[in-house]
C-alpha cells in the first residue's frame, strides 16, 4: 500500500467518493505499462494498473507504482520561503 493511502486512511482523509481515475501510459521506460492515476483534491494519491490488462495483469514495477510522488508539483516545505 502506498504510504499516501496508509497515512490518509489513518488521518481519516481518504475519500474514495472524491477520487477520479485517469488512465495513461507510464513513460518511465520503453515497456509502456498501463497506469490508472487515482486523484483526490488535485493530488495523485495512488497508482494502479488494470487487472484485466493483457500485459501487466495489474502489476507494475516500483517506479510505475510509487514514482508518482516525483511528478507532483508541490512546494518543498523544507525549502527557503523565496524558493517555494
Ligand atoms: S511501470 Fe515500470 S516497467 Fe512499466 S513502463 Fe513504468 S517503469 Fe517501465
Amino acid at each position: 500500500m502506498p504510504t499516501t493511502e496508509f497515512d490518509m486512511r489513518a488521518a481519516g482523509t481518504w475519500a474514495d467518493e472524491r477520487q477520479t481515475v485517469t488512465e495513461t501510459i507510464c513513460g518511465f521506460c520503453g515497456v509502456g505499462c498501463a497506469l490508472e492515476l487515482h486523484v483526490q483534491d488535485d493530488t495523485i494519491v495512488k497508482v494502479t494498473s488494470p487487472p484485466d490488462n493483457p500485459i501487466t495483469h495489474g502489476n507494475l514495477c516500483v517506479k510505475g507504482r510509487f514514482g508518482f510522488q516525483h511528478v507532483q508539483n508541490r512546494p518543498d516545505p523544507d525549502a527557503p520561503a523565496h524558493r517555494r
Side-chain angles (χ1 to χ4, degrees):
M1 174 185 292
T3 56
T4 48
E5 182 175 355
F6 181 88
D7 291 345
M8 290 174 72
R9 285 186 184 277
T13 57
W14 184 264
D16 284 315
E17 69 279 2
R18 295 205 332 254
Q19 295 177 13
T20 59
V21 178
T22 300
E23 296 180 2
T24 188
I25 302 295
C26 180
F28 209 106
C29 83
V31 177
C33 297
L35 301 182
E36 297 168 321
L37 309 179
H38 300 251
V39 177
Q40 179 179 325
D41 301 330
D42 296 327
T43 300
I44 302 171
V45 293
K46 180 170 71 174
V47 174
T48 57
S49 187
D52 61 349
N53 184 280
I55 306 301
T56 63
H57 301 287
N59 298 302
L60 293 170
C61 79
V62 67
K63 290 175 282 190
R65 189 169 302 278
F66 298 112
F68 66 91
Q69 295 177 45
H70 298 286
V71 300
Q72 314 238 37
N73 187 17
R74 296 280 181 250
D76 180 355
D78 297 325
H82 68 278
R83 291 184 45 216
R84 289 185 201 156

